[in-house]
Amino acid sequence: MSYTESIGSRTYRFADLKTLLAKASPQRSGDQLASIAAASEEERVAAKMALAEVPLRTFLNEPLIPYETDEVTRLIIDDHSPAAFAEISHLTVGDFRNWLLSTTTDTDALTRITEGLTPEMVAAVSKLMRNQDLITAARKRPVITRFRNTVGLPGRMSVRLQPNHPTDDVKGIAASMLDGLMYGCGDALIGINPASDNLAAITKLLQMIDDFRQRYRVPTQSCVLTHVTSTIAAMEKGAPVDLVFQSIAGTEKANASFGISLALLQEAYEAGLSLQRGTVGSNLMYFETGQGSALSADAHFGVDQQTCEARAYAVARKFKPFLVNTVVGFIGPEYLYDGKQITRAGLEDHFCGKLLGVPMGCDICYTNHAEADQDDMDNLLTLLGVAGINFIMGVPGADDVMLNYQSTSFHDALYVRDVLGLRRAPEFEEWLESMQIIDARGALIGASSRQPLLEGARDWMGIA
């Protein structure tokens, strides 16, 4: 089905729904690279006007990628709930935007319709929204998950402690981990990107974190962010695996480029559940995504990068994850050129994920060759904190020495908690207070060599 919209004497024609969505997207370098972006701001406005009139049920009848050839499309269609969709089935995309922003649409309403939404619907409505609209709607939709602690409660924001090391040196990682904990970070998880996929090295890192966690009774979870097949192998060897990690994308072909399928993810999910390591819940998958991944794998099929990203959240939702992280500026300026595009993408991803019932966090980041700087990251951090982000990254000095990109630091987490009054996961906060790292208000207590954690950790690490 084609779509048309007139502005003045000029009429714009859009060949199909896929083209309409791409032309309606805010400007970004990835869509320009793919030659699917609007040629002018006027064409973009025309596409938005046409998109606003599209009934939501159209997205159920006009798949962007054929059902027969793509397992992600099949997942989206087969798992769709007509009963949950019924409440909004009469709306157009424009009407849906108005409904989302209405003061009478609350958390209960958004929760009721979750299973009735498809990624394409939420991607479409996001294209009609300003940044403040994305923040307003996302804030109404908390997504709460549990493993050893509880993440996503309103008024709280967690941090993934990311103590990466360029050679996977255990002492170096342990020192960064201790540094982060002393700043009150680590309630989302302690997660290491390994420099190697060597099974022995992965197991050694998992064992180190688990030994520390048990010694100090830290109510958090660990993860070594290796390929899911390596994690399965580690579980088979008896390694202490908490969260199961994998990068995912929004098309079958893009996922195949990562060496995964829905069946493989199901196998990993079931293996993780069998270990029964969670104490307050059983959400155990950790997924990472990012706009541009499908395009970089030549697996986008002409679909704009933001809609492809939203489709990845359908994959995530299937496996009831503990955390989902959009690594928003990591792929580079070829896909998100500057700070403005990175900021918009981060807000879009958070909004789309939350509406789909996914526990969204964000690696607020950029590569050194992007037209962005730490002020841009401060802006996005603040906006996402207002929008109710589940978690952010805590990287020593905000500079990841293994992955070579810029992210957010332990200090940045202190900033956003202070200015927005955000607390940590309740179980983790109670532990920090017991270890004399924070006071009853959640504020850091000045570092002292007599703090229980520091007093014993130096000996544990073999540091004088």
Side-chain angles (χ1 to χ4, degrees):
M1 178 178 175
S2 63
Y3 302 84
T4 62
E5 186 66 43
S6 296
I7 296 181
S9 61
R10 179 173 295 182
T11 298
Y12 290 91
R13 292 180 174 83
F14 308 99
D16 50 26
L17 188 56
K18 175 168 60 177
T19 303
L20 181 63
L21 286 166
K23 301 293 188 182
S25 291
Q27 184 179 22
R28 62 205 53 194
S29 51
D31 291 340
Q32 291 171 320
L33 181 66
S35 300
I36 59 174
S40 66
E41 286 302 316
E42 185 173 280
E43 184 181 27
R44 183 171 288 112
V45 169
K48 289 177 185 288
M49 292 169 65
L51 181 60
E53 299 302 318
V54 175
L56 289 180
R57 59 176 68 252
T58 302
F59 294 95
L60 300 173
N61 302 322
E62 192 177 335
L64 305 186
I65 301 172
Y67 180 96
E68 297 76 13
T69 60
D70 187 272
E71 67 173 1
V72 177
T73 299
R74 292 195 290 276
L75 171 68
I76 291 167
I77 298 300
D78 294 349
D79 281 9
H80 179 258
S81 168
F85 182 57
E87 186 171 345
I88 57 169
S89 62
H90 61 290
L91 300 178
T92 65
V93 176
D95 293 333
F96 184 39
R97 173 189 176 275
N98 295 338
W99 184 86
L100 288 170
L101 297 176
S102 170
T103 56
T104 60
T105 300
D106 57 11
T107 298
D108 288 342
L110 292 176
T111 303
R112 283 197 307 272
I113 67 166
T114 296
E115 300 300 322
L117 295 174
T118 69
E120 293 83 357
M121 292 177 194
V122 298
V125 75
S126 76
K127 298 176 193 300
L128 305 184
M129 301 175 90
R130 292 169 57 185
N131 288 359
Q132 66 173 257
D133 300 337
L134 299 173
I135 292 167
T136 299
R139 186 176 175 84
K140 298 186 205 179
R141 183 54 172 102
V143 179
I144 301 165
T145 56
R146 296 176 174 87
F147 190 75
R148 283 200 193 91
N149 59 29
T150 306
V151 170
L153 291 166
R156 296 180 183 266
M157 184 199 73
S158 297
V159 177
R160 170 192 160 186
L161 206 174
Q162 184 171 307
N164 295 343
H165 193 280
T167 64
D168 288 340
D169 179 76
V170 173
K171 282 190 177 181
I173 289 170
S176 292
M177 181 176 73
L178 181 61
D179 187 32
L181 289 168
M182 294 304 297
Y183 279 102
C185 296
D187 49 343
L189 81 155
I190 300 171
I192 302 166
N193 297 90
S196 159
D197 263 350
N198 178 275
L199 184 58
I202 291 164
T203 302
K204 188 176 183 180
L205 294 175
L206 285 167
Q207 193 64 60
M208 181 272 290
I209 302 175
D210 201 59
D211 288 348
F212 183 90
R213 181 189 63 79
Q214 292 194 61
R215 179 177 180 131
Y216 295 99
R217 300 177 183 174
V218 190
T220 190
Q221 34 286 320
S222 65
C223 185
V224 174
L225 282 67
T226 187
H227 193 270
V228 68
T229 54
S230 298
T231 303
I232 292 172
M235 285 191 276
E236 291 172 346
K237 294 288 186 181
V241 173
D242 287 345
L243 302 190
V244 177
F245 169 79
Q246 183 55 49
S247 295
I248 58 172
T251 72
E252 180 178 345
K253 184 179 178 182
N255 283 326
S257 76
F258 291 149
I260 62 166
S261 64
L262 296 180
L264 179 59
L265 293 177
Q266 184 68 35
E267 178 187 348
Y269 175 55
E270 292 174 1
L273 284 175
S274 72
L275 300 181
Q276 298 183 322
R277 290 176 60 83
T279 55
V280 299
S282 58
N283 302 115
L284 57 84
M285 300 300 283
Y286 174 28
F287 295 119
E288 287 193 344
T289 67
Q291 289 193 28
S293 58
L295 175 58
S296 66
D298 191 26
H300 62 105
F301 303 99
V303 177
D304 68 272
Q305 67 181 40
Q306 189 250 333
T307 302
C308 281
E309 171 73 3
R311 284 169 56 94
Y313 305 151
V315 176
R317 181 169 65 176
K318 176 70 174 177
F319 301 101
K320 302 176 177 63
F322 184 65
L323 307 168
V324 176
N325 178 29
T326 170
V327 193
V328 66
F330 184 75
I331 302 182
E334 298 82 3
Y335 305 95
L336 295 169
Y337 179 71
D338 57 14
K340 182 174 182 177
Q341 292 188 15
I342 291 170
T343 297
R344 174 69 189 189
L347 294 175
E348 288 170 347
D349 294 350
H350 179 247
F351 163 83
C352 289
K354 283 293 184 67
L355 256 63
L356 292 168
V358 172
M360 290 303 295
C362 184
D363 191 341
I364 301 161
C365 64
Y366 64 101
T367 57
N368 288 315
H369 63 309
E371 290 294 321
D373 59 27
Q374 214 64 40
D375 285 338
D376 295 310
M377 301 306 103
D378 287 349
N379 293 343
L380 179 53
L381 170 62
T382 306
L383 294 172
L384 286 172
V386 174
I389 194 79
N390 277 34
F391 70 102
I392 62 168
M393 303 298 109
V395 177
D399 185 359
D400 193 298
V401 295
M402 196 281 283
L403 293 173
N404 293 309
Y405 78 116
Q406 310 305 311
S407 185
T408 47
S409 69
F410 307 144
H411 304 78
D412 294 331
L414 292 179
Y415 147 73
V416 76
R417 284 193 174 121
D418 181 50
V419 298
L420 298 178
L422 299 173
R423 305 295 290 253
R424 300 166 180 87
E427 302 89 345
F428 190 77
E429 194 166 73
E430 183 179 336
W431 175 80
L432 289 172
E433 190 174 351
S434 74
M435 300 300 286
Q436 300 170 36
I437 294 171
I438 64 170
D439 62 22
R441 298 174 297 112
L444 282 186
I445 298 171
S448 165
S449 61
R450 293 168 63 183
Q451 283 174 319
L453 185 61
L454 275 178
E455 200 166 49
R458 282 193 296 267
D459 180 61
W460 173 77
M461 293 169 57
I463 299 173

